[in-house]
Amino acid sequence: MGSPQGSTLRTNVAGLVDGSTVQTEVSHIDCLPVYVKELIAGGAAGAFAKSIVAPLERTKILLQTRTHGFESLGVHQSLRKLLKHEGIVGFYKGNGASVIRIIPYAAIHFMSYEQYRGWILENYSSLGSGPLIDLLAGSASGGTAVLCTYPLDLARTKLAYQVVDTRSNFRGGISSLYPRPAYSGITDVLTTVYKEGGIRGLYRGVGPTLTGILPYAGLKFYIYEKLKTHVPEQHQNSIVMRLSCGALAGLLGQTFTYPLDVVRRQMQVESLQSSTIQGDTRFRNTWEGLTTIARNQGWRQLFAGLSINYIKIVPSVAVGFTAYDMMKVWLRIPPRQKDVSA
């Protein structure tokens, strides 16, 4: 993000304002509908942020689902064990499914957020144009994105839950962990799950996901935009400012909704867990999942992996928001309504 690039961006924007020939250099971008630009910006931001924290995301899932051999380990020890048995590739197992999911998820999330936000401002002007609108639009967009991409999240979790693809490679007697052969990829997961449970199987755990994403997505956008309102005008475009606001928004939002994420992960991998590890209990709903985990595994399990989530949420949400804002500038996305009115 050096100054030459910044100068180019400013020059291009100035060209659009004064009608100079610079506009012809970006005519293809300018011809795109705004919602398409928002899809592109959101998808790129999501993929970039998700890839940065992939090793921490894999470790978090192993801790959440109490994978054999990892239930008593901390973050650092889990990373070392993964590196020892699976190498660098092990850090990114399931990341292909994660990136494939996050691109449409983030694209829909950010685009629908902007669309919901504009719709609320146009139809419910009595609510004003402050962070409350971001809370409502963020919650609605989070739910929309989840419903559109949940099967891919299910596939990502099942792939990440598998500590090894070939059990003989793992020393320590884990050969009895899986009652069936390991999944070979995203298509195999989706096909197998659909054959076993149909559409309902592909959306196993979507209840706690929606219960968690609605407040989390809303709080994330609310806190991010609220913090930005307290930043002096001269620092509004600072990357450091955006990273800081995004990191704090992610930390606070995740803390309140994390137990719901734990329930979701355990519901997603129930069919993979042997009775000797987790029992035959199947959660019928979110509340039952919360109470059962607290009773049988202890309330601390509801926050298993939270420390690593704090570690990963800082770069993930911060980079996601920052990349999205920068992509909006590059793609010439018009200012928001409240910015124009201001």
Side-chain angles (χ1 to χ4, degrees), residues 127-147:
L127 295 175
S129 59
L132 174 61
I133 304 301
D134 299 299
L135 177 66
L136 298 175
S139 296
S141 65
T144 301
V146 164
L147 291 175

Side-chain angles (χ1 to χ4, degrees), residues 311-331:
I311 296 173
K312 86 176 186 67
I313 208 68
V314 172
S316 179
V317 178
V319 171
F321 271 126
T322 304
Y324 179 66
D325 281 347
M326 298 305 294
M327 286 294 294
K328 285 171 63 178
V329 174
W330 184 72
L331 291 170

Side-chain angles (χ1 to χ4, degrees), residues 11-330:
T11 301
N12 290 344
V13 173
L16 291 173
V17 174
D18 61 22
S20 67
T21 57
V22 178
Q23 186 172 2
T24 61
E25 298 178 8
V26 292
S27 58
H28 294 295
I29 294 177
D30 295 335
C31 290
L32 293 174
V34 173
Y35 73 89
V36 173
K37 295 181 182 181
E38 291 167 349
L39 283 170
I40 296 173
F48 185 55
K50 182 62 69 175
S51 296
I52 287 178
V53 300
L56 296 174
E57 180 69 20
R58 171 96 197 276
T59 304
K60 185 195 75 169
I61 291 176
L62 294 176
L63 294 176
Q64 284 182 327
T65 55
R66 297 170 64 85
T67 302
H68 182 69
F70 288 83
E71 58 268 282
S72 61
L73 299 182
V75 175
H76 180 66
Q77 291 176 312
S78 297
L79 289 170
R80 289 185 59 184
K81 187 167 186 175
L82 275 176
L83 181 62
K84 177 182 178 181
H85 292 288
E86 298 184 349
I88 296 296
V89 177
F91 288 153
Y92 292 89
K93 183 176 292 183
N95 189 54
S98 182
V99 171
I100 291 175
R101 178 194 73 93
I102 202 62
I103 290 177
Y105 175 85
I108 294 172
H109 191 16
F110 281 105
M111 184 277 291
S112 60
Y113 160 72
E114 301 286 0
Q115 297 300 314
Y116 282 131
R117 187 177 181 282
W119 180 81
I120 294 173
L121 287 173
E122 290 177 4
N123 295 276
Y124 298 93
S125 56
S126 60
L127 295 175
S129 59
L132 174 61
I133 304 301
D134 299 299
L135 177 66
L136 298 175
S139 296
S141 65
T144 301
V146 164
L147 291 175
C148 290
T149 62
Y150 187 79
L152 291 173
D153 181 56
L154 180 75
R156 185 276 302 264
T157 299
K158 288 182 178 293
L159 289 173
Y161 175 73
Q162 296 174 166
V163 178
V164 288
D165 288 334
T166 304
R167 293 188 289 269
S168 60
N169 290 339
F170 211 110
R171 299 191 303 271
I174 300 187
S175 58
S176 63
L177 178 58
Y178 303 112
R180 66 173 64 139
Y183 294 115
S184 60
I186 302 172
T187 303
D188 185 29
V189 174
L190 296 177
T191 302
T192 302
V193 172
Y194 181 76
K195 288 180 179 179
E196 293 177 349
I199 296 296
R200 292 187 64 179
L202 291 175
Y203 280 85
R204 177 70 178 166
V206 74
T209 302
L210 287 174
T211 305
I213 198 63
L214 293 178
Y216 172 66
L219 285 172
K220 184 175 65 175
F221 279 102
Y222 172 84
I223 296 172
Y224 181 67
E225 296 298 334
K226 184 68 174 179
L227 290 173
K228 285 171 62 176
T229 62
H230 295 285
V231 176
E233 185 67 27
Q234 62 270 27
H235 299 300
Q236 282 290 328
N237 295 325
S238 168
I239 294 179
V240 175
M241 181 279 298
R242 289 171 175 164
L243 286 170
S244 301
C245 292
L248 189 54
L251 285 169
L252 295 176
Q254 187 68 193
T255 300
F256 292 115
T257 60
Y258 190 79
L260 298 170
D261 191 43
V262 174
V263 175
R264 170 173 65 116
R265 296 300 184 193
Q266 293 206 12
M267 291 180 73
Q268 287 177 333
V269 302
E270 278 173 342
S271 61
L272 296 178
Q273 295 172 319
S274 67
S275 59
T276 58
I277 296 175
Q278 192 68 20
D280 295 325
T281 302
R282 294 181 66 84
F283 306 141
R284 289 174 295 182
N285 52 58
T286 304
W287 177 249
E288 182 179 313
L290 289 170
T291 55
T292 301
I293 291 175
R295 182 176 61 252
N296 297 340
Q297 304 172 25
W299 67 268
R300 293 180 184 274
Q301 181 60 30
L302 291 174
F303 294 91
L306 180 58
S307 60
I308 196 171
N309 224 42
Y310 282 148
I311 296 173
K312 86 176 186 67
I313 208 68
V314 172
S316 179
V317 178
V319 171
F321 271 126
T322 304
Y324 179 66
D325 281 347
M326 298 305 294
M327 286 294 294
K328 285 171 63 178
V329 174
W330 184 72

